[in-house]
Amino acid sequence: MRSSRRHPLLVPVLICACVVLAARPGDGDGGGGGSDVSARVARLYAESAVAARHDDRGRQETVRRELDAARDQLQSRADASVAAGACRGAVRLDQPGTRSTGGWVAPVESYDLSAGFGSGGARWARRHTGQDFAVPIGTPVRAVGAGRVVRVSCGGAFGIEVVVRHEGGSCTQYAHLAAVTVDEGERVAAGQWIGQSGTTGNSTGPHLHFEVRSTPEYGSAVDPVPWLEERGVPLGQPGAERG
């Protein structure tokens, strides 16, 4: 079973993003194509939220079809990057004005919790080392707290991933992405978009794999749910309904 969490701020945030969202031509894959599709996915998410708010079902259906096609294109580009073992580089999307220099946030705005820390099964060589957030391809992924990007990589089991080191030494990992919006060495704020979710690497469907680690390296993971709760970000548990 999954735990659901829907934030009331999602619609106004996306409406704001609809106004300010843009890509910088030429970023990412050298020709702007990666930036264009990333921006298109984000813009369509915003348009979908506006249509839902006004109960415009005709527009919702049109946007849904366009969004599905854009998601497929975004994921195809991501799969090509992973197959080549080379990231396209940061796709620069204007932020929706929700960043904060202090505090902590969940890594995605609206989500269903799926596989939790320590879960077993054939999908993992050992136990599951993070918390999965079931979200559609292209969902904005946020830095949970302020820090510095210490890794952006493609290929391997985690597909496209970003690792951020926070004050005090703890690190957070964001994996199976379809695109990244930051570069290694870049400082990020809490709530800043650092990528878009996908299903790259060892993934059975669209989701964000989120880890908390004592070092940037695999094998140092701790349970992210109580770690975030200690910082004022309750996620709930799989199987427990969240409003």
Side-chain angles (χ1 to χ4, degrees):
M1 296 178 67
R2 292 175 176 168
S3 170
S4 298
R5 174 120 180 191
R6 303 296 181 208
H7 279 266
L9 292 177
L10 176 61
V11 170
V13 166
L14 286 177
I15 293 170
C16 178
C18 185
V19 175
V20 303
L21 195 56
R24 299 175 186 171
D27 283 349
D29 60 0
S35 297
D36 289 349
V37 69
S38 290
R40 187 162 68 253
V41 168
R43 174 179 58 79
L44 287 167
Y45 269 117
E47 289 186 11
S48 178
V50 172
R53 185 186 184 200
H54 293 283
D55 197 25
D56 186 344
R57 299 189 181 183
R59 182 57 183 158
Q60 281 181 277
E61 180 60 24
T62 299
V63 172
R64 184 193 63 77
R65 290 195 299 267
E66 294 177 4
L67 184 54
D68 285 346
R71 284 173 179 156
D72 288 344
Q73 186 179 3
L74 181 65
Q75 184 61 44
S76 293
R77 288 180 181 275
D79 290 339
S81 294
V82 171
C87 292
R88 292 179 177 270
V91 171
R92 298 299 182 177
L93 299 178
D94 286 348
Q95 301 287 324
T98 57
R99 287 180 288 177
S100 170
T101 56
W104 300 85
V105 299
V108 286
E109 187 93 26
S110 180
Y111 53 81
D112 293 328
L113 292 180
S114 48
F117 182 81
S119 299
R123 288 176 291 174
W124 307 293
R126 299 181 181 86
R127 293 282 178 176
H128 192 227
T129 53
Q131 174 63 58
D132 286 350
F133 295 77
V135 290
I137 292 168
T139 299
V141 173
R142 314 183 295 183
V144 297
R148 186 180 297 276
V149 178
V150 295
R151 178 180 301 151
V152 176
S153 64
C154 301
F158 289 118
I160 299 175
E161 63 170 330
V162 173
V163 179
V164 176
R165 188 195 300 274
H166 306 280
E167 184 177 356
S170 292
C171 297
T172 51
Q173 182 218 26
Y174 312 78
H176 305 310
L177 302 176
V180 296
T181 63
V182 291
D183 291 312
E184 285 189 15
E186 186 174 335
R187 291 204 63 83
V188 295
Q192 180 176 338
W193 292 353
I194 60 174
Q196 291 171 297
S197 65
T199 182
T200 54
N202 183 17
S203 172
T204 58
H207 73 284
L208 170 69
H209 174 88
F210 173 74
E211 284 192 20
V212 175
R213 299 171 173 177
S214 58
T215 76
E217 306 305 323
Y218 176 78
S220 62
V222 300
D223 191 338
V225 173
W227 188 89
L228 282 172
E229 286 178 346
E230 290 171 4
R231 289 156 178 80
V233 185
L235 299 179
Q237 296 286 347
E241 290 300 319
R242 303 287 297 188

Short mmCIF file of all heavy atoms in Angstrom, two decimals, residues 163-209:
data_model
loop_
_atom_site.label_atom_id
_atom_site.label_comp_id
_atom_site.label_asym_id
_atom_site.label_seq_id
_atom_site.Cartn_x
_atom_site.Cartn_y
_atom_site.Cartn_z
N VAL A 163 23.60 14.26 -5.69
CA VAL A 163 23.89 14.13 -4.26
C VAL A 163 24.24 15.51 -3.72
O VAL A 163 25.06 16.22 -4.31
CB VAL A 163 25.05 13.14 -3.99
CG1 VAL A 163 25.35 13.05 -2.49
CG2 VAL A 163 24.71 11.75 -4.53
N VAL A 164 23.62 15.88 -2.61
CA VAL A 164 23.83 17.18 -1.98
C VAL A 164 24.37 16.95 -0.57
O VAL A 164 23.85 16.12 0.18
CB VAL A 164 22.52 17.98 -1.91
CG1 VAL A 164 22.72 19.30 -1.15
CG2 VAL A 164 21.98 18.25 -3.31
N ARG A 165 25.44 17.71 -0.21
CA ARG A 165 25.96 17.66 1.16
C ARG A 165 25.41 18.87 1.93
O ARG A 165 25.50 20.01 1.45
CB ARG A 165 27.48 17.70 1.18
CG ARG A 165 28.07 17.46 2.59
CD ARG A 165 29.53 17.85 2.67
NE ARG A 165 30.35 17.11 1.75
CZ ARG A 165 30.91 15.92 1.99
NH1 ARG A 165 30.69 15.33 3.15
NH2 ARG A 165 31.65 15.32 1.08
N HIS A 166 24.88 18.61 3.12
CA HIS A 166 24.29 19.66 3.95
C HIS A 166 25.20 20.01 5.11
O HIS A 166 26.15 19.29 5.43
CB HIS A 166 22.92 19.20 4.47
CG HIS A 166 21.99 18.75 3.39
ND1 HIS A 166 21.28 19.63 2.60
CD2 HIS A 166 21.68 17.50 2.94
CE1 HIS A 166 20.56 18.96 1.73
NE2 HIS A 166 20.78 17.66 1.90
N GLU A 167 24.90 21.13 5.75
CA GLU A 167 25.67 21.54 6.93
C GLU A 167 25.62 20.43 7.98
O GLU A 167 24.56 19.86 8.24
CB GLU A 167 25.09 22.84 7.50
CG GLU A 167 25.89 23.39 8.66
CD GLU A 167 25.35 24.71 9.18
OE1 GLU A 167 24.39 25.23 8.57
OE2 GLU A 167 25.89 25.20 10.18
N GLY A 168 26.76 20.11 8.55
CA GLY A 168 26.85 19.02 9.51
C GLY A 168 27.34 17.74 8.90
O GLY A 168 27.69 16.79 9.61
N GLY A 169 27.38 17.68 7.55
CA GLY A 169 27.97 16.53 6.87
C GLY A 169 27.01 15.54 6.28
O GLY A 169 27.41 14.70 5.47
N SER A 170 25.73 15.57 6.67
CA SER A 170 24.78 14.64 6.09
C SER A 170 24.60 14.92 4.60
O SER A 170 24.67 16.07 4.16
CB SER A 170 23.42 14.74 6.79
OG SER A 170 23.50 14.28 8.12
N CYS A 171 24.36 13.86 3.83
CA CYS A 171 24.16 13.99 2.39
C CYS A 171 22.81 13.41 2.01
O CYS A 171 22.32 12.46 2.64
CB CYS A 171 25.26 13.25 1.63
SG CYS A 171 26.92 13.92 1.90
N THR A 172 22.20 13.98 0.98
CA THR A 172 20.95 13.45 0.44
C THR A 172 21.14 13.12 -1.03
O THR A 172 21.82 13.85 -1.76
CB THR A 172 19.79 14.44 0.62
OG1 THR A 172 20.16 15.73 0.11
CG2 THR A 172 19.41 14.56 2.08
N GLN A 173 20.55 12.01 -1.45
CA GLN A 173 20.65 11.55 -2.83
C GLN A 173 19.27 11.53 -3.46
O GLN A 173 18.27 11.15 -2.81
CB GLN A 173 21.25 10.14 -2.88
CG GLN A 173 21.43 9.60 -4.30
CD GLN A 173 21.13 8.12 -4.40
OE1 GLN A 173 20.37 7.58 -3.60
NE2 GLN A 173 21.71 7.47 -5.37
N TYR A 174 19.21 11.92 -4.75
CA TYR A 174 17.98 11.99 -5.53
C TYR A 174 18.24 11.21 -6.82
O TYR A 174 19.05 11.64 -7.65
CB TYR A 174 17.63 13.44 -5.83
CG TYR A 174 17.71 14.34 -4.60
CD1 TYR A 174 18.94 14.79 -4.13
CD2 TYR A 174 16.55 14.72 -3.91
CE1 TYR A 174 19.03 15.58 -3.00
CE2 TYR A 174 16.64 15.52 -2.78
CZ TYR A 174 17.89 15.95 -2.33
OH TYR A 174 17.97 16.75 -1.20
N ALA A 175 17.58 10.07 -7.00
CA ALA A 175 17.97 9.15 -8.07
C ALA A 175 16.80 8.80 -8.99
O ALA A 175 15.64 9.08 -8.70
CB ALA A 175 18.56 7.88 -7.47
N HIS A 176 17.17 8.17 -10.12
CA HIS A 176 16.26 7.77 -11.20
C HIS A 176 15.66 8.99 -11.91
O HIS A 176 14.54 8.94 -12.43
CB HIS A 176 15.14 6.86 -10.69
CG HIS A 176 15.63 5.64 -9.97
ND1 HIS A 176 16.59 4.80 -10.49
CD2 HIS A 176 15.29 5.11 -8.75
CE1 HIS A 176 16.83 3.81 -9.63
NE2 HIS A 176 16.05 3.98 -8.57
N LEU A 177 16.41 10.10 -11.95
CA LEU A 177 15.92 11.34 -12.53
C LEU A 177 15.85 11.27 -14.05
O LEU A 177 16.49 10.43 -14.68
CB LEU A 177 16.82 12.50 -12.12
CG LEU A 177 16.99 12.76 -10.62
CD1 LEU A 177 17.99 13.88 -10.39
CD2 LEU A 177 15.65 13.07 -9.96
N ALA A 178 15.06 12.18 -14.63
CA ALA A 178 15.01 12.35 -16.08
C ALA A 178 15.84 13.54 -16.54
O ALA A 178 16.22 13.62 -17.70
CB ALA A 178 13.57 12.52 -16.55
N ALA A 179 16.10 14.48 -15.62
CA ALA A 179 16.91 15.65 -15.95
C ALA A 179 17.42 16.26 -14.66
O ALA A 179 16.83 16.07 -13.59
CB ALA A 179 16.09 16.69 -16.73
N VAL A 180 18.53 16.98 -14.74
CA VAL A 180 19.08 17.71 -13.60
C VAL A 180 19.11 19.19 -13.94
O VAL A 180 19.27 19.58 -15.10
CB VAL A 180 20.48 17.21 -13.21
CG1 VAL A 180 20.42 15.77 -12.74
CG2 VAL A 180 21.46 17.36 -14.36
N THR A 181 18.97 20.02 -12.91
CA THR A 181 18.95 21.46 -13.11
C THR A 181 20.07 22.16 -12.35
O THR A 181 20.05 23.38 -12.17
CB THR A 181 17.59 22.05 -12.69
OG1 THR A 181 17.39 21.83 -11.29
CG2 THR A 181 16.46 21.39 -13.46
N VAL A 182 21.06 21.39 -11.89
CA VAL A 182 22.19 21.93 -11.14
C VAL A 182 23.48 21.27 -11.62
O VAL A 182 23.44 20.21 -12.26
CB VAL A 182 22.03 21.70 -9.62
CG1 VAL A 182 20.90 22.54 -9.04
CG2 VAL A 182 21.79 20.22 -9.31
N ASP A 183 24.60 21.88 -11.29
CA ASP A 183 25.91 21.34 -11.60
C ASP A 183 26.65 20.99 -10.33
O ASP A 183 26.35 21.54 -9.25
CB ASP A 183 26.75 22.36 -12.39
CG ASP A 183 26.22 22.60 -13.79
OD1 ASP A 183 25.95 21.60 -14.49
OD2 ASP A 183 26.08 23.77 -14.18
N GLU A 184 27.64 20.11 -10.43
CA GLU A 184 28.49 19.80 -9.28
C GLU A 184 29.17 21.08 -8.79
O GLU A 184 29.61 21.91 -9.58
CB GLU A 184 29.54 18.75 -9.66
CG GLU A 184 28.98 17.35 -9.78
CD GLU A 184 30.07 16.30 -9.96
OE1 GLU A 184 31.26 16.63 -9.71
OE2 GLU A 184 29.76 15.17 -10.35
N GLY A 185 29.25 21.21 -7.47
CA GLY A 185 29.87 22.37 -6.86
C GLY A 185 28.92 23.52 -6.61
O GLY A 185 29.27 24.46 -5.89
N GLU A 186 27.72 23.45 -7.15
CA GLU A 186 26.75 24.53 -7.00
C GLU A 186 26.10 24.50 -5.62
O GLU A 186 25.78 23.44 -5.09
CB GLU A 186 25.69 24.38 -8.09
CG GLU A 186 24.69 25.50 -8.17
CD GLU A 186 23.77 25.34 -9.38
OE1 GLU A 186 24.17 24.68 -10.37
OE2 GLU A 186 22.65 25.87 -9.33
N ARG A 187 25.91 25.68 -5.04
CA ARG A 187 25.19 25.77 -3.78
C ARG A 187 23.69 25.84 -4.08
O ARG A 187 23.27 26.49 -5.04
CB ARG A 187 25.62 27.00 -2.98
CG ARG A 187 27.04 26.88 -2.43
CD ARG A 187 27.23 27.76 -1.22
NE ARG A 187 26.37 27.36 -0.10
CZ ARG A 187 26.65 26.38 0.77
NH1 ARG A 187 27.77 25.69 0.66
NH2 ARG A 187 25.81 26.10 1.74
N VAL A 188 22.90 25.16 -3.25
CA VAL A 188 21.45 25.13 -3.45
C VAL A 188 20.75 25.51 -2.15
O VAL A 188 21.29 25.34 -1.06
CB VAL A 188 20.97 23.74 -3.92
CG1 VAL A 188 21.54 23.41 -5.29
CG2 VAL A 188 21.35 22.64 -2.92
N ALA A 189 19.55 26.04 -2.29
CA ALA A 189 18.73 26.42 -1.15
C ALA A 189 17.67 25.36 -0.89
O ALA A 189 17.32 24.57 -1.77
CB ALA A 189 18.05 27.77 -1.42
N ALA A 190 17.14 25.34 0.32
CA ALA A 190 16.03 24.44 0.63
C ALA A 190 14.86 24.76 -0.29
O ALA A 190 14.47 25.91 -0.44
CB ALA A 190 15.61 24.60 2.08
N GLY A 191 14.31 23.73 -0.93
CA GLY A 191 13.19 23.91 -1.82
C GLY A 191 13.55 24.21 -3.25
O GLY A 191 12.67 24.24 -4.12
N GLN A 192 14.84 24.41 -3.53
CA GLN A 192 15.25 24.70 -4.91
C GLN A 192 15.09 23.47 -5.79
O GLN A 192 15.43 22.36 -5.40
CB GLN A 192 16.71 25.15 -4.93
CG GLN A 192 17.24 25.48 -6.31
CD GLN A 192 18.66 26.01 -6.28
OE1 GLN A 192 19.12 26.51 -5.24
NE2 GLN A 192 19.37 25.91 -7.39
N TRP A 193 14.58 23.67 -7.00
CA TRP A 193 14.50 22.56 -7.95
C TRP A 193 15.90 22.15 -8.36
O TRP A 193 16.69 22.97 -8.83
CB TRP A 193 13.72 22.98 -9.19
CG TRP A 193 12.26 23.22 -8.97
CD1 TRP A 193 11.54 22.99 -7.82
CD2 TRP A 193 11.34 23.75 -9.92
NE1 TRP A 193 10.23 23.33 -8.01
CE2 TRP A 193 10.07 23.80 -9.28
CE3 TRP A 193 11.46 24.17 -11.24
CZ2 TRP A 193 8.93 24.26 -9.94
CZ3 TRP A 193 10.31 24.63 -11.90
CH2 TRP A 193 9.07 24.68 -11.25
N ILE A 194 16.19 20.87 -8.20
CA ILE A 194 17.51 20.36 -8.60
C ILE A 194 17.40 19.33 -9.72
O ILE A 194 18.41 18.88 -10.25
CB ILE A 194 18.26 19.75 -7.40
CG1 ILE A 194 17.47 18.59 -6.78
CG2 ILE A 194 18.56 20.81 -6.36
CD1 ILE A 194 18.23 17.86 -5.68
N GLY A 195 16.19 18.96 -10.09
CA GLY A 195 16.01 18.00 -11.17
C GLY A 195 14.55 17.74 -11.45
O GLY A 195 13.66 18.37 -10.84
N GLN A 196 14.31 16.82 -12.39
CA GLN A 196 12.97 16.35 -12.71
C GLN A 196 12.96 14.84 -12.60
O GLN A 196 13.88 14.16 -13.06
CB GLN A 196 12.57 16.79 -14.12
CG GLN A 196 12.34 18.29 -14.25
CD GLN A 196 12.15 18.73 -15.70
OE1 GLN A 196 13.06 18.59 -16.51
NE2 GLN A 196 10.99 19.27 -16.02
N SER A 197 11.92 14.30 -12.00
CA SER A 197 11.85 12.87 -11.74
C SER A 197 11.72 12.08 -13.04
O SER A 197 11.31 12.59 -14.07
CB SER A 197 10.67 12.55 -10.83
OG SER A 197 9.45 12.85 -11.50
N GLY A 198 12.09 10.79 -12.96
CA GLY A 198 12.00 9.93 -14.13
C GLY A 198 11.96 8.47 -13.73
O GLY A 198 11.47 8.12 -12.65
N THR A 199 12.52 7.63 -14.58
CA THR A 199 12.58 6.20 -14.29
C THR A 199 13.83 5.61 -14.93
O THR A 199 13.77 4.59 -15.63
CB THR A 199 11.28 5.48 -14.72
OG1 THR A 199 11.36 4.08 -14.39
CG2 THR A 199 11.00 5.66 -16.21
N THR A 200 14.98 6.28 -14.71
CA THR A 200 16.24 5.81 -15.26
C THR A 200 16.91 4.82 -14.30
O THR A 200 16.61 4.79 -13.11
CB THR A 200 17.20 7.00 -15.51
OG1 THR A 200 17.34 7.77 -14.30
CG2 THR A 200 16.68 7.90 -16.62
N GLY A 201 17.82 4.03 -14.85
CA GLY A 201 18.54 3.06 -14.04
C GLY A 201 17.70 1.85 -13.69
O GLY A 201 16.81 1.45 -14.45
N ASN A 202 17.95 1.29 -12.52
CA ASN A 202 17.23 0.10 -12.06
C ASN A 202 15.90 0.55 -11.46
O ASN A 202 15.75 0.66 -10.24
CB ASN A 202 18.08 -0.65 -11.03
CG ASN A 202 17.40 -1.93 -10.56
OD1 ASN A 202 16.47 -2.43 -11.20
ND2 ASN A 202 17.85 -2.46 -9.43
N SER A 203 14.93 0.79 -12.32
CA SER A 203 13.65 1.34 -11.89
C SER A 203 12.52 0.61 -12.61
O SER A 203 12.60 0.36 -13.81
CB SER A 203 13.60 2.84 -12.23
OG SER A 203 12.32 3.37 -12.02
N THR A 204 11.47 0.30 -11.86
CA THR A 204 10.33 -0.42 -12.45
C THR A 204 9.19 0.51 -12.83
O THR A 204 8.17 0.06 -13.33
CB THR A 204 9.81 -1.48 -11.46
OG1 THR A 204 9.43 -0.84 -10.23
CG2 THR A 204 10.88 -2.53 -11.17
N GLY A 205 9.35 1.80 -12.60
CA GLY A 205 8.32 2.76 -12.95
C GLY A 205 8.69 4.14 -12.44
O GLY A 205 9.66 4.29 -11.67
N PRO A 206 8.00 5.18 -12.88
CA PRO A 206 8.35 6.54 -12.49
C PRO A 206 8.30 6.75 -10.98
O PRO A 206 7.29 6.49 -10.34
CB PRO A 206 7.27 7.39 -13.19
CG PRO A 206 6.77 6.54 -14.32
CD PRO A 206 6.84 5.14 -13.81
N HIS A 207 9.40 7.23 -10.43
CA HIS A 207 9.45 7.57 -9.01
C HIS A 207 10.76 8.28 -8.70
O HIS A 207 11.70 8.25 -9.50
CB HIS A 207 9.32 6.32 -8.13
CG HIS A 207 10.51 5.42 -8.11
ND1 HIS A 207 10.82 4.57 -9.16
CD2 HIS A 207 11.49 5.23 -7.18
CE1 HIS A 207 11.93 3.88 -8.86
NE2 HIS A 207 12.36 4.29 -7.67
N LEU A 208 10.81 8.90 -7.55
CA LEU A 208 12.05 9.45 -7.01
C LEU A 208 12.55 8.53 -5.92
O LEU A 208 11.81 8.21 -4.98
CB LEU A 208 11.81 10.85 -6.44
CG LEU A 208 12.98 11.41 -5.63
CD1 LEU A 208 14.17 11.74 -6.53
CD2 LEU A 208 12.55 12.63 -4.81
N HIS A 209 13.81 8.10 -6.04
CA HIS A 209 14.47 7.37 -4.96
C HIS A 209 15.26 8.39 -4.16
O HIS A 209 16.15 9.05 -4.68
CB HIS A 209 15.41 6.30 -5.54
CG HIS A 209 16.24 5.61 -4.50
ND1 HIS A 209 15.80 4.49 -3.83
CD2 HIS A 209 17.49 5.88 -4.03
CE1 HIS A 209 16.73 4.10 -2.98
NE2 HIS A 209 17.77 4.93 -3.09
#
